[in-house]
Amino acid sequence: MDPPPPADVDMPAVDLVIGLAAGALRGAGALLYVTRPVAVLVLRPPLVPAPLQPQTRLRAIARQGKALRERTTPQAEAFVSQVVEGVVARIDFEAVVDRIDVATIARQVVDDMDLPDLIRESTGTMASEGVVGLRMQGIEADERVSKIVDKVLLRRNARKTQVRPQAHEPVQ
Amino acid sequence: MNPSSDPAPNSSAVPNAARSYQGRRAGVVSRVIASLVDLLVVVGIIVAVYAIWTGLAFLLHPRSFHFPEGLGWSIPAVGFVVAVPYLTLTWNATGRSYGAALLGLRVVGRNGGRLPFIIALPRAFLCALFPIGLLWVAVSPANRSLQDILLRTSVVYDWTPSADAAPRETITPVG
C-alpha cells in the first residue's frame, strides 16, 4: 500500500485568502440571484396599494434621513472645526519643535543624499554619456591600432605611455 | 584593451573603465579625431570671419558689392593665422583645445605640467604647418608625434574637468 502524499505546506496565505474571498463573492451573487424575487415580493407585495407598500415607507424614511443629514452637516463641520482649533491653540508647537533635534535630522538627510554625486550629476560636471562613449571608443581604437602596428613592426615590448616626472620633483 | 595595473587617479568624475588610462599618452585615433574637431573649429572661425568681412563690405559699399573672388591660397593662410593663436592660447591656458576637451585629452609639458607659452607657440606652429607629423603617434613606441618629440611634450588622457587636476594627480611615477 502506497504511503499517503506529504501535506503541501507550501501554501501561500495570500492565495488562500483570495480563493476564499472569490468563493464568498460567488456565493453572495448566487444568494442575491435567489433572494431578489423574494425581496421584490416583500417590498412591493401585489394587490397592496402603493402608499401602503413597505418600499414606499422605506423611501419616506430615506428622504427624512437625507434631509436630516443636509441639515446637520454644516453644524457638525463647525463643531469639528472648533474642536480642532481649540486643540491646536492648546499645543505649544515651539516646545515641540525645540524637543526635535532638527540639525541632526538635517545632517542625516544630507549625508544620506550623497550630495556631491547629486551636484555632479545636476551640474553636468560628469561628461555626458555620449561623450564618455566617444572617449571610450577612442581609447579602444587607440589600443587596437597600437597592437596592430606593434605586431607589424615585430615589437615585443609594450609601449611606454607613462609621462616621466622629473626625479627631484615629488609627485603628489 | 590592456590597461595598466597602476593605480588610477581617484577622481569620481572618471568612469572605472577609463581610470587606468588617465595620465597615459593617448593613441593616434583619439588624437586624430581631436585634431579633426579642432580643424572644424578653425573652419568655423574662418567662415565667421568671411561672413563678417562680406557683411561689412556690403554695408559700406552696397552698390559696388560683390563676393570676394579668387580666395585661393588665402584660405589656408587665414586658417594658419587662426589656428596658431587658437591652439597656443588653449594649450597654454588649460592644456586642451576644444577637440582635446571633447576627447578627454590634455597637452602637457615635459614633466606632465602645464604647457608654457614658449613651448605652446612653436608646438601650435609646427602642428599647423606639418599636421601629418601627428601620424607618427601610431608608430612611436611612446605614443608621441613628431612635434612631441621635438618639443618634449605629451598628450595624455585626462578626463578630469579641472584645468589643474591633471598634471600632478594623474601622472604615475616611473621607476
Side-chain angles (χ1 to χ4, degrees):
Chain A
M1 190 175 173
D2 293 336
D8 187 7
V9 293
D10 188 17
M11 186 168 51
V14 177
D15 294 347
L16 181 65
V17 170
I18 291 171
L20 287 173
L25 278 174
R26 276 197 299 271
L31 192 67
L32 196 67
Y33 182 77
V34 172
T35 56
R36 186 179 176 83
V38 179
V40 170
L41 195 66
V42 171
L43 291 173
R44 286 185 296 178
L47 304 175
V48 176
L52 299 176
Q53 287 179 350
Q55 186 179 27
T56 308
R57 185 61 195 155
L58 289 175
R59 279 192 174 153
I61 293 170
R63 274 198 298 273
Q64 288 174 0
K66 183 183 176 186
L68 182 66
R69 176 170 56 82
E70 288 176 348
R71 209 168 47 244
T72 54
T73 298
Q75 294 172 355
E77 285 179 353
F79 174 73
V80 171
S81 177
Q82 281 181 352
V83 169
V84 170
E85 283 178 7
V87 171
V88 170
R90 282 170 182 269
I91 295 175
D92 186 358
F93 281 104
E94 288 186 2
V96 173
V97 172
D98 286 344
R99 296 175 100 181
I100 301 171
D101 192 355
V102 179
T104 305
I105 294 172
R107 203 175 300 121
Q108 200 170 354
V109 169
V110 170
D111 289 346
D112 291 344
M113 278 169 67
D114 192 6
L115 214 53
D117 193 46
L118 202 65
I119 292 169
R120 193 166 51 244
E121 285 181 4
S122 60
T123 55
T125 305
M126 186 178 273
S128 69
E129 286 182 16
V131 173
V132 169
L134 174 71
R135 291 174 176 179
M136 284 308 302
Q137 285 180 352
I139 290 176
E140 288 172 11
D142 291 340
E143 292 284 323
R144 280 191 202 137
V145 170
S146 299
K147 276 183 184 173
I148 292 168
V149 172
D150 290 348
K151 200 171 279 184
V152 169
L153 296 176
L154 303 175
R155 209 177 261 160
R156 290 183 180 178
N157 298 326
R159 295 193 178 210
K160 295 173 183 173
T161 57
Q162 289 174 333
V163 178
R164 183 187 292 272
Q166 273 188 342
H168 62 272
E169 275 193 12
V171 176
Q172 294 173 354
Chain B
M1 288 195 292
N2 184 24
S4 160
S5 58
D6 290 328
N10 188 18
S11 171
S12 56
V14 181
N16 287 333
R19 287 191 181 181
S20 55
Y21 292 95
Q22 303 302 299
R24 292 180 168 274
R25 289 196 194 93
V28 68
V29 179
S30 297
R31 291 183 60 173
V32 166
I33 295 172
S35 300
L36 289 176
V37 173
D38 286 334
L39 180 65
L40 284 177
V41 171
V42 170
V43 168
I45 294 171
I46 293 171
V47 169
V49 168
Y50 177 81
I52 292 169
W53 181 271
T54 52
L56 283 175
F58 177 74
L59 286 173
L60 294 173
H61 307 288
R63 289 192 174 184
S64 61
F65 171 77
H66 59 88
F67 283 99
E69 294 171 359
L71 293 171
W73 283 99
S74 69
I75 291 177
V78 172
F80 187 83
V81 169
V82 170
V84 171
Y86 162 67
L87 294 174
T88 303
L89 294 175
T90 51
W91 287 342
N92 178 236
T94 61
R96 43 176 120 209
S97 58
Y98 181 74
L102 192 69
L103 270 294
L105 308 178
R106 191 188 298 274
V107 184
V108 294
R110 185 181 173 185
N111 305 318
R114 183 178 291 182
L115 205 64
F117 184 82
I118 201 165
I119 301 293
L121 179 63
R123 191 178 193 279
F125 188 85
L126 288 173
C127 287
L129 196 68
F130 190 63
I132 203 83
L134 176 63
L135 295 180
W136 189 253
V137 176
V139 182
S140 164
N143 280 359
R144 281 185 138 150
S145 67
L146 293 179
Q147 291 85 351
D148 289 334
I149 294 168
L150 281 172
L151 297 166
R152 308 190 76 171
T153 56
S154 299
V155 176
V156 297
Y157 298 113
D158 179 13
W159 294 20
T160 50
S162 160
D164 295 323
R168 289 301 158 84
E169 288 180 8
T170 59
I171 290 165
T172 311
V174 178

